[in-house]
Amino acid sequence: MKLLVTGARGQLGSSLVDYSRQLGISCIGVGREDFDVTDQRATIDFISGCWPDAVIHCASYNAVDRAEEEHELCFRVNVEGTANVATACSTVHAKMMYISTDYVFDGTKPGFYEADDPVNPLSVYGKSKVAGEIEVQKRLKDFFIVRTSWLFGKNGNNFVRTIFKLSQTEDRIPVVNDQFGSPTYSADLVPLLLQMIQNENYGFYHATNEGFCSWAEFAEEIMRITGSSCKIDRISSGEYPSRASRPKNSRLSKRSLTENGYPTLPNWRDALARFLSEIL
């Protein structure tokens, strides 16, 4: 298989490129310096020139709060860019996997969100990702749309790095305790995505590490593993004002994975411990 990965400099994209090459998969990792996904002609020309068997589309505008002010740019990247990649995949008859997010839901449902539950995003970013999902469905008969949440990995900034860095200089850190989800380690997610892209079980999936927590509990586990004396102050979303509204319940059901014979990922606490052992 020849695989093309967009957003190859990001947390997930870089891990996909590295691991696929370890498996002997021919992988082309591309970023903004290779072509602009918002330019349809450039996108189609580049992907047609490579003629991949499959494309995993990780490139995304994901500055959630800034998107509230940069609405047009967010939609241009996440909607027009995704539409262009999907059109290119249709042109070369390549499989496409679109990486989406828990932010497509409003977080008001009790329990877990299934992959086929109605979407109702609260933020500009969430709305742009829903619109990206729709563009994929409009242009391709067969596709993978994989929603994940609270991603962390060795490349780029993430919650784990931010909290650990703050703990080096602060005695206390306020962290929201009424938003719940599943932290997801890119190194755990990548093998699953590569397994999926090599078969034809198309459709919508949720893929995260097992278990769930609040952001405050996530931060407390970082402090525990690193042995930090810094204290986490549990606060409400209302006490931590942000430009973008976030879902309070981001618990994603993995039923679509198990029904199609895919493995679930390790517990998030185990994943976090492994990640911290690698970067510290």
Side-chain angles (χ1 to χ4, degrees):
M1 167 180 281
K2 179 189 277 189
L3 175 66
L4 186 144
V5 176
T6 68
R9 312 298 182 264
Q11 288 186 109
L12 184 58
S14 60
S15 294
L16 275 165
V17 172
D18 291 344
Y19 191 70
S20 62
R21 289 173 178 169
Q22 290 176 31
L23 296 179
I25 296 172
S26 174
C27 182
I28 304 164
V30 296
R32 281 173 288 187
E33 65 275 17
D34 297 297
F35 67 92
D36 179 358
V37 294
T38 67
D39 184 328
Q40 184 183 70
R41 187 71 265 157
T43 301
I44 293 173
D45 286 349
F46 189 96
I47 294 177
S48 296
C50 299
W51 208 271
D53 300 302
V55 175
I56 301 182
H57 183 40
C58 299
S60 175
Y61 179 109
N62 54 18
V64 178
D65 286 318
R66 196 163 68 239
E68 297 297 312
E69 299 175 354
E70 297 181 346
H71 180 284
E72 291 185 3
L73 176 59
C74 178
F75 266 69
R76 194 157 64 246
V77 174
N78 291 350
V79 185
E80 294 178 26
T82 299
N84 292 339
V85 172
T87 298
C89 287
S90 177
T91 301
V92 301
H93 308 292
K95 298 178 184 179
M96 180 174 178
M97 177 180 286
Y98 174 57
I99 305 301
S100 193
T101 172
D102 57 306
Y103 281 61
V104 302
F105 298 114
D106 61 18
T108 60
K109 178 185 177 180
F112 291 84
Y113 278 98
E114 300 293 343
D116 59 356
D117 276 342
V119 297
N120 186 34
L122 301 174
S123 62
V124 168
Y125 168 71
K127 291 173 183 176
S128 74
K129 295 300 284 186
V130 168
E133 292 183 0
I134 293 170
E135 293 299 329
V136 173
Q137 295 174 76
K138 283 164 56 176
R139 286 164 171 77
L140 296 167
K141 178 183 176 184
D142 298 316
F143 52 81
F144 298 92
I145 291 177
V146 182
R147 300 180 185 129
T148 191
S149 67
W150 299 21
L151 195 66
F152 62 92
K154 68 178 183 179
N155 291 327
N157 293 320
N158 54 60
F159 181 79
V160 180
R161 290 184 184 276
T162 298
I163 292 296
F164 178 72
K165 183 177 180 180
L166 285 172
S167 73
Q168 305 302 293
T169 58
E170 303 294 328
D171 295 326
R172 311 187 74 89
I173 306 172
V175 183
V176 169
N177 194 46
D178 58 0
Q179 297 173 18
F180 295 87
S182 299
T184 305
Y185 185 17
S186 61
D188 288 342
L189 180 59
V190 159
L192 173 62
L193 299 181
L194 291 176
Q195 181 182 352
M196 294 172 71
I197 200 68
Q198 293 182 81
N199 64 45
E200 283 75 42
N201 292 329
Y202 300 110
F204 284 80
Y205 291 90
H206 291 164
T208 69
N209 281 99
E210 287 299 290
F212 61 90
C213 60
S214 70
W215 286 110
E217 290 171 321
F218 191 11
E220 288 167 350
E221 186 67 2
I222 297 168
M223 298 300 94
R224 187 191 70 79
I225 293 172
T226 59
S228 175
S229 60
C230 178
K231 301 300 181 184
I232 302 300
D233 290 330
R234 298 185 175 200
I235 63 172
S236 68
S237 298
E239 295 174 278
Y240 192 85
S242 59
R243 290 192 290 272
S245 297
R246 290 161 167 80
K248 289 192 174 182
N249 175 25
S250 286
R251 291 178 289 178
L252 304 180
S253 167
K254 268 57 70 80
R255 187 172 70 179
S256 56
L257 283 179
T258 57
E259 287 181 347
N260 283 283
Y262 294 115
T264 54
L265 305 183
N267 186 274
W268 70 268
R269 293 179 188 272
D270 172 79
L272 176 61
R274 284 183 283 114
F275 174 62
L276 287 170
S277 71
E278 290 182 15
I279 67 170
L280 297 182

